[in-house]
Amino acid sequence: MVKSSSVPANQKRKPRLLWANPFCLLDTSSGASMTVRQMLLQLVANGYEVQVLGATVFDNPKGMGKLKEQYPNLSAHQHEMIEAVDGPLTHNLVVSYSYNRNHFTTHEEGLWYGQYLYVLDSFKPDIVWFYGGQTLDMLIADEARDRGIPVAFYLANGHYKAPRWCRDVDLILTDSQATADMYRKTIGFAAKPVGKFIAPENFIAEHHERKRVLFVNPSWQKGASVFIQLAERLGQKRPDIELEVVEARADWPAVLRETMRSMGQQRSSLSNVTLTANTSDMRAPYSRARVLVAPSLWWESSGRVLAEAMLNGIPALITNRGGMPEMIGNAGIAFDFPDACYEEPYQHLLSDEELQPLVDAVIRFYDDETLYQEYVARARQVGKEKHHIARATERLLSALSPLAQLRAGNKEFAITQKKRHRQRLSGRATKPDFKVDNSLQQLISHQSVNQPGQVPQANKLWLTDDFTWQIKGKIVVLDNRASLIKSGLAEQMVATEAFGIVVFDPASEIKEAKQYEGSDTIQLFQHALLGDGNAATLHACVAPEMTSTLAPLPAEKLPKRHHLGTQALAELPISTIALDSINGLDSLDWLILDELSDAMTILEHGKKSLTDTLVIQARIPFQLTHKKQPSLAELQHWASRNGFRFYRMHNIQHYSHLPENLNAVSPCATEQESADVLFLPSHERTSELSDKNKTRLAFIMSTCFGAHDIAFELMADVSQEKALEFLEAQKLLPKVSVPKSQVPLPAGPPIPQDEHVKGEPVVSVICATYNHANYIEDAINGIIAQKTDFPFELIIHDDASTDGTQEIIKHYAEKYPELIRPIFQEVNQYSKNKKPMDICLPLTKGKYVAICEGDDYWTDPNKLKVQFEYMEKNAECVITHHNAFVFKDKEIVRDSKLPEHMIKSFSRNELLRNNCFVLTLSMMFRKVFNKFPKEKGTVVNGDNFLISMLGLYGESVFIKDIKPAAYRLHADSTWSSRSENQKRTILGNSFYWIGKYHERKSRKELSDYYFKESRNFLKENDK
């Protein structure tokens, strides 16, 4: 929350700093955001009081992970102000409709600007600090200066070539001397370099294998084309050398495919390259790296990865651009490439001779150990002298100190404002009223009720905020003539994050093709199209939209309106691509064909790729303009023979014979010229579709074609409940209001004792209770309602409850004597450091063990059965688990206790290191040991100990088909009721003793890892 200042001017207080900019500093895809965030953390540690005002704007959605851990469903908070806790920082963020800064609406700018004024007048900072050069950003400095508050700006790229943005700025901070010198010489302003700010806990590895060539952020600007050539050459000459690519904003597969195509090859992967997803914790990639390759081709102010590499003692191979040589000093080699490499779109390929020095340098670092170790020592020295965070912090504090000492926050802003205002006026901003504005969504999403026979506009998506689609993976679309881009649908589709679009543009009609270079959602290939894989002739016509590989009809066979447009200007050679020959196209969900290509040839050469396709959209002309244009009869005949059925016409186009100006007043177009024909899987194929593909097809049909009826039918096959929600959201059914307090009940009804399977238990359920009289019946009912075809047992351990819990347990134990084994403690064992799991595990008889605390419960009666059957069939799986919702009293607090990025299975290594989130009340694990080691007796939180031990025996599997269990929040909870500091202390202690256990078992790497993590938890509390 914003704090107002009432500290007298003569009283000593902390300097106050406000960071203000719509970009979110939690963005892990932005080097600038990560750097500024770390700078602010250092300022807080050195006595500053810091406020952060931002918005949910990111460089790339891949960088949203940290924020989504706290706010999994951001759209539910649209146009609200949220608080994201980040250690000692709190990020106050306006929730925008889009993550893209270019889509930040005027309404959102107004909300942000109003909040900025309010924070200025209530927090009263001594310094305002920001970056960015857009119109709103200029108001940041303008408003601060109007109040007499000094302004600082962070500059870390070479694109601020106009003087307006820094007119009201008192201090310009940059990351390198090279950038400061460049701006001083070219523009004339002075900038103060402070260096990079690298947090050791996320970027400096403790141990180094030194085996891989590392490349981070594989974009064209960062030299992806150079790296791919290097990797391809090393694969031929030195297949023993491993390479690793860490994604950030760029899409490695797309960049790789385009570069390999330019090299005359069709490849979607390189056998010697390992791809690592975008991550905020770079210790693992750096622990594997022997050398960093950073062949940036644009102006690089410094290169954050270079500072990180130096701190890890990793030599670097770089281009001689901007501040990069300054960053590595003598701890690497700088290369000068031909000038063509440094020109957009940064895809120029090196000749063999030009590439060879880089190849040789890599090989020398592998073969000459003496030379390599010399460079390692140099890198460590450069890291220590130039990039240590303590040195950078000293430079930052020194630069900000003159501004902070002015104590601008102690002044009365009204006096300054009256002096500067032409009308001698001043004002104090009040807290803005945040209101939701849906005009943008309504513009791109028709949310009105469908009228019978109404055909949706071709350039709008049919979306609604009232329904959430659950789409797994990308829906792959192949568009043969860029119709989606030309109609404006493509950008709207990728904004949903559900589509990946491959576009062919044979006539180069897309004028701003560069905007799609390096895109991870839209791949654009110009002067190319589908066909039979052979060379063809492109007939260039006066009207570009008439340009085609099909020859235009003679004028006498055309209506007058097409005489001029179809006149041929030239015949150009063009390559066609057979659909079945495309490498790397793992799936094709939706194929779009135009009326100016040989559709029948495309389909005949794509039968293999189209086997599982969900939608074929083909445009057919009714008034022919070219030879061999597709006809409805031919297309329908092909479809019926290949598992598709005609569904409907779409986007029907008519021609009016009236003069254009008259038709605009009184529309009358009667001659049907063309239409899209939609083919869907045949009824037989539809019935065999998986639930995943039925949902994907429903999403396509509803969102892109407004066909809500068939979408409902498909969804009803998957989930009747979800299908009804969909109808309500589309206003096809009146919405039934569901009270917020409605919480799913325990699984039920309870199964009587005599209906449970008899025999030696194969699954043991452990339920630990203490003073759970108000909750224990829910826990027991959820367990005794389990439908199984195997015997199981329930061990209930009560730790000397005093509230009547034992009486409730006794009642159920009498009704279920063959199922329930109660353990009643007379003296509380927890107080003696004896945990329920330690007591109960040796008593279990089952092959598998499941856990449900006495204040939680299960909602799915098939939970045990589903988990048991999976584990019986998969010996490598040691744990199965699922999700849970969080509730308090009678209201759901969160639909998912798991953050979105943790709703998954985990490897052995992730379990061993507790790099996972497995909910205890959801797990079933193999009983691979009967008791815990002595070290566990010293920890409060035994779940982490259990998971690390289980990691020794296998992996985990997340089962999505089990209904979420119920995780209860209440004041007496042993975990959720604790403060964050207490939790960190407990985890620090737990990790220490897990480390001691692994140390005793001679697992040095694991023990070192846990000791370090333990220190980090405890160090965080010391702050």
Side-chain angles (χ1 to χ4, degrees), residues 753 756-767 779-780 783-784 786 788 790-797 816-823 839-852 858 864 924 927 930:
Q753 171 72 80
H756 278 286
V757 179
K758 308 295 190 296
E760 188 71 10
V762 293
V763 173
S764 298
V765 181
I766 297 176
C767 179
I780 295 175
I783 298 169
I784 61 178
Q786 291 298 305
T788 67
F790 53 82
F792 70 94
E793 65 175 344
L794 169 57
I795 300 175
I796 306 180
H797 177 276
Y816 292 85
E818 298 177 25
L819 183 68
I820 298 175
R821 295 166 57 195
I823 301 173
I839 297 168
C840 294
L841 184 63
L843 302 177
T844 56
K845 300 176 181 178
K847 179 180 179 182
Y848 303 102
V849 178
I851 303 171
C852 182
W858 299 337
L864 291 183
M924 178 188 285
K927 189 180 174 184
N930 286 315

Side-chain angles (χ1 to χ4, degrees), residues 850-920:
I851 303 171
C852 182
E853 299 287 334
D855 49 354
D856 301 325
Y857 61 85
W858 299 337
T859 65
D860 193 331
N862 296 307
K863 168 194 158 65
L864 291 183
K865 185 174 187 292
V866 172
Q867 291 181 287
F868 171 79
E869 289 178 350
Y870 184 90
M871 298 186 77
E872 283 290 280
K873 295 175 183 177
N874 297 274
E876 72 283 358
C877 172
V878 73
I879 310 174
T880 54
H881 50 106
H882 54 89
N883 209 341
F885 62 87
V886 182
F887 75 107
K888 186 174 183 180
D889 298 326
K890 295 182 179 181
E891 187 168 320
I892 292 179
V893 177
R894 292 202 308 274
D895 290 330
S896 171
K897 180 165 174 58
L898 293 171
E900 187 175 350
H901 70 288
M902 286 294 183
I903 302 177
K904 65 170 194 172
S905 305
F906 297 102
S907 66
R908 293 183 61 159
N909 193 48
E910 287 172 316
L911 295 176
L912 278 168
R913 295 170 179 262
N914 269 277
N915 290 332
C916 58
F917 196 167
V918 178
L919 300 178
T920 308

Side-chain angles (χ1 to χ4, degrees), residues 39 56 326 332 433 482 493 513 523 578 618 732 771 832 998 1000 1007:
M39 294 164 95
T56 55
E326 173 187 335
D433 184 14
M493 289 166 64
Q523 297 178 55
L732 297 171
N771 284 351
K832 296 183 176 183
H998 287 303
R1000 181 166 61 83
S1007 62

Side-chain angles (χ1 to χ4, degrees), residues 496-511:
T496 68
E497 300 183 11
F499 292 97
I501 306 174
V502 180
V503 179
F504 291 111
D505 181 20
S508 298
E509 296 175 78
I510 306 303
K511 302 304 180 187

